[in-house]
Each structure stands twice: as structure tokens, then as C-alpha cells.
Amino acid sequence: MPGTIASFQGVTKRYGPIVAVDHLNLDIREGEFVTLLGPSGCGKSTTLRMLGGFELPQEGRILLAGKDVTHLPPNRRDVNMVFQDYALFPHMSVRDNVAFGPQLKGRTKDEARARVDELLAFLQLSDFGDRRPDQLSGGQRQRVALARALAPDPKLLLLDEPLGALDAKLRGQVQIELKSIQERTGKTFLLVTHDQEEALTMSDRIIVMNGGRIEQEGTPEDLYHRPRSRFVADFIGETNLLTCDVQRDGAAGPRISWNGTPILVEAPQADAIADRSRVDVTLRPESIRLTAERPDAANALRTRIVRRTFKGARLDVDLEVEGGQAAASHIKASTDPALLQGNVGDAVWASFDPKRVAILQA
Ligand code: ADP
């Protein structure tokens, strides 16, 4: 198990009456790609900036490689930051921009040049060394910013929405590139983003923040398939949030039903609902199978197609569930376009695996 490289211990940051970060406890391990994810204003950037030394917390301690750095200025911490606007020097060449870091750290000119050549080659920028930043594409500028941040060989790289300025298609490419650079350098990356897809694509571990606190943390798979709160279920990916009734059933334990239809759930937290009368569950649209005939499945709902939205690789289908005690209710399914014959108004069976239903605790 790799060691802890950075720790937040009971860290609180207030701006006047606003609590930006609220008693944060977080350990980051060496070589990890960790992402702080959450909506605007949840405290992600403040957390990153405190680790970089740009903000001072009112409470708690920040450790880097076991050393208390809470009160150290940025240039005395072994971390470097990549900003959204890249903060490149516009009048300087790519080479001089990248050389800025090593020179600062007191290397000789020859050492700095060798390090710059190595980084430009590593980031496929060797042909662009003499250009100025405004003579580069967005993706190339992003790589220059990364090369500059990596130049002094910091232990930890902090990235504040580093892909924010790129268009959607390029973002996708650069996400994969950035993850591969992190893997090849073995460096620890701490990234801030509000983009859940970006977080899922790149991270070893995602920290979901809400109101200055950690809402949930885990691997991308954990958070996607086992969200613990409505907030996380809703923030990461699309989902169906169903409020269910809980019935006691003697020795068989609690059973849940949605809209009068029993729902079979196989989840580790199923026992935790024993004392409740209602519980929220989440079911991802792509976990729902649509068939014309009644399927041989533990959970099957008879529905009617309300809307079909073609998305290229998939088809999003809005369904109205028939029967039940309450008024008709809606669920969303997402399927391979080739698998759905039905049109709007047609009846269709929606079935799902009990393992695909996650019980929310909050
Ligand atoms: P995020 O990065 O998740 O969007 P921030 O960390 O930037 O969130 O901000 C958290 C909260 O702190 C927000 O309510 C924001 O308005 C506030 N905040 C951040 N920086 C400052 C500042 N320099 N002065 C006053 N309030 C700030």
C-alpha cells in the first residue's frame, strides 16, 4: 500500500460568514489520481488552493509527506499547480515557459535545458519549442502548462479545471492523455472538476463534495453503482430515484415496493432499512431491459413508451408505469437502439436485476 503523500486534518476555511470547507479530513496516497468533484461553490478549489499554499485555513492542519505545511508559502511546498487558463507567459517561447520552473529551483542552464528537452519530448511538444503560446492549439497549450508544472519534479500536481478551456471533443482526448501522463510519471495528481464524466474517466478515486464537506468517496465504479445519497446518485450520471414503501414481513425481513409493485433488491445495505417506513432507491437507466414479451425476471414492470430520444450510440426512452396504487409514474431507460422495436404509445416490459438497485441512506 503506497504511503500517504498529503493529508487534510480537520481543515476549515471560512470567508466571512461563508464556510467554504468544513472540517475536512482527507488522505491522498502516493501515485493516486484523485478528483474533487461537485457543483460550483462546494469548496473544491478552496481545498486545492489550501494544499497549494494559496489560502490559509482557520482550523486544522495540512501535511505534505508527513510535514505540517499549513503555514508554508507555495514556493516552499513540493507541489505545483496547473490553472484553467494555463497562466503561460504570452511573450515567452514554449521552451522558456517550461524552463521557468527548473531555473527557479536553482538548476544550471544546461540542466534546465536537458530537463526541458526531456519534457517536451515526453509531451510530444518537441516541434513547438520556439513557438509562443498564441501560436498553439488549445490542447497543445494545455500540454505546455502541464510540462511547466512537471518541470521542477514536484511530488504532487494540483489541477484546477485544467480542461475547462477545451471544446468537448478535444476534452475527451486530453482526458485520456492526462491520465496516461499521470500513469507514466507515477506522480500524484489532485484534480478539481464539476464534470462528472471527466472525473469518471480519469480518477482512481473520486471525492464528491457538497457544501464544504465530503459527501462520498470511492472508485468511479463505487460511486456510480453504489451511491449512498440522492445527491451522489443524481450528480453522477443519469438515474431513476424511486421513493419506496417498506413493509415488515416477519422472518423474511423488510420488503420494499414502489407504487404498489414489490421490488426485489439485493444490496448489502438492505438490512439497514428495517426500521424505516420509506426508502429511496436508485436504478440506472441502462440497467433497465425493455422487451415486448413479459420477461422471466425478478423485477418486471409493465410500461408504456412516452418518448424516444435518439442519441446515436443509445436510445433514451421515457416510460409510464401502468397499474400500481398511485397515479402512473415515470422511469427512464437507456438502451441499444437496435434492441427497441416499440414506438410511442406501445406497451413494453421494463425489467431489471435486483443487484442493480442501490438503496440510498440519505
Ligand atoms: P468550487 O471550487 O467548488 O466552485 P470554491 O472553493 O471556489 O468552490 O468556493 C467555495 C465557497 O467559498 C463559495 O461559496 C465561494 O463563493 C466562496 N469563496 C471562494 N473564494 C472566496 C473568496 N476569495 N472570498 C469570498 N468567498 C469565497
Side-chain angles (χ1 to χ4, degrees):
M1 191 87 169
T4 299
I5 190 160
S7 299
F8 292 84
Q9 301 184 343
V11 171
T12 294
K13 175 70 185 176
R14 291 182 219 97
Y15 296 103
I18 295 168
V19 184
V21 174
D22 193 2
H23 290 96
L24 179 73
N25 290 302
L26 173 63
D27 283 346
I28 294 160
R29 290 184 289 276
E30 205 162 351
E32 246 190 324
F33 196 127
V34 179
T35 299
L36 303 176
L37 174 69
S40 176
C42 73
K44 309 178 296 287
S45 290
T46 303
T47 301
L48 198 76
R49 294 171 59 79
M50 286 192 290
L51 189 53
F54 302 100
E55 301 283 352
L56 189 64
Q58 280 94 1
E59 285 170 42
R61 301 197 306 163
I62 297 172
L63 306 186
L64 260 177
K67 200 173 108 196
D68 189 338
V69 298
T70 317
H71 298 278
L72 285 188
N75 59 359
R76 296 197 39 217
R77 302 183 183 203
D78 210 355
V79 300
N80 223 342
M81 191 131 164
V82 180
F83 297 94
Q84 176 170 0
D85 59 2
Y86 312 137
L88 296 174
F89 302 114
H91 57 283
M92 277 167 39
S93 69
V94 165
R95 180 173 291 285
D96 289 343
N97 264 286
V98 178
F100 194 74
Q103 277 170 2
L104 267 186
K105 267 202 150 181
R107 298 197 190 195
T108 67
K109 262 206 148 59
D110 280 350
E111 282 169 351
R113 187 172 302 130
R115 176 74 180 144
V116 171
D117 285 343
E118 180 193 10
L119 279 165
L120 292 184
F122 182 68
L123 292 168
Q124 292 161 14
L125 289 165
S126 297
D127 294 343
F128 307 100
D130 297 324
R131 293 205 195 171
R132 285 194 321 269
D134 64 356
Q135 296 168 320
L136 299 174
S137 71
Q140 289 163 344
R141 273 204 288 269
Q142 209 278 335
R143 292 212 296 275
V144 176
L146 200 60
R148 193 179 63 181
L150 285 168
D153 207 19
K155 285 207 173 65
L156 180 61
L157 211 61
L158 307 178
L159 305 115
D160 193 355
E161 302 263 1
L163 312 182
L166 306 178
D167 63 54
K169 183 135 194 192
L170 193 56
R171 269 177 96 113
Q173 282 170 23
V174 179
Q175 283 166 14
I176 292 170
E177 223 172 81
L178 201 60
K179 175 67 185 156
S180 136
I181 290 165
Q182 186 266 338
E183 282 168 355
R184 284 185 288 147
T185 56
K187 297 264 174 228
T188 312
F189 277 29
L190 181 62
L191 173 94
V192 158
T193 185
H194 63 273
D195 181 334
Q196 46 98 13
E197 197 183 316
E198 191 165 302
L200 291 174
T201 304
M202 293 195 283
S203 320
D204 296 318
R205 188 157 59 110
I206 300 174
I207 317 291
V208 181
M209 293 184 71
N210 183 16
R213 292 169 168 265
I214 296 178
E215 178 85 16
Q216 187 175 351
E217 62 178 283
T219 62
E221 287 84 358
D222 265 348
L223 292 176
Y224 189 80
H225 290 299
R226 289 172 290 282
R228 283 204 298 262
S229 62
R230 284 184 87 97
F231 181 85
V232 174
D234 208 26
F235 195 77
I236 299 185
E238 286 232 20
T239 203
N240 292 292
L241 287 166
L242 312 178
T243 298
C244 296
D245 295 307
V246 181
Q247 293 108 28
R248 313 258 167 271
D249 192 7
R255 289 170 187 269
I256 67 173
S257 64
W258 178 59
N259 241 350
T261 306
I263 306 260
L264 206 64
V265 180
E266 263 176 53
Q269 323 92 314
D271 293 341
I273 61 169
D275 57 348
R276 307 231 211 131
S277 58
R278 309 206 94 185
V279 71
D280 287 338
V281 305
T282 162
L283 174 65
R284 298 287 178 193
E286 71 276 14
S287 299
I288 296 176
R289 235 182 97 228
L290 301 177
T291 47
E293 303 299 324
R294 184 184 191 124
D296 179 19
N299 291 311
L301 301 167
R302 196 174 149 74
T303 70
R304 200 163 284 283
I305 300 172
V306 176
R307 186 188 295 140
R308 304 166 40 122
T309 313
F310 181 64
K311 293 278 180 76
R314 58 173 221 272
L315 182 68
D316 290 350
V317 190
D318 291 351
L319 303 161
E320 189 178 275
V321 179
E322 291 186 351
Q325 293 160 350
S329 32
H330 290 83
I331 53 173
K332 290 178 281 197
S334 186
T335 181
D336 178 341
L339 292 181
L340 184 77
Q341 266 90 45
N343 286 311
V344 170
D346 289 352
V348 63
W349 285 91
S351 58
F352 47 94
D353 187 329
K355 289 198 186 68
R356 285 286 168 218
V357 185
I359 293 176
L360 303 176
Q361 287 157 23

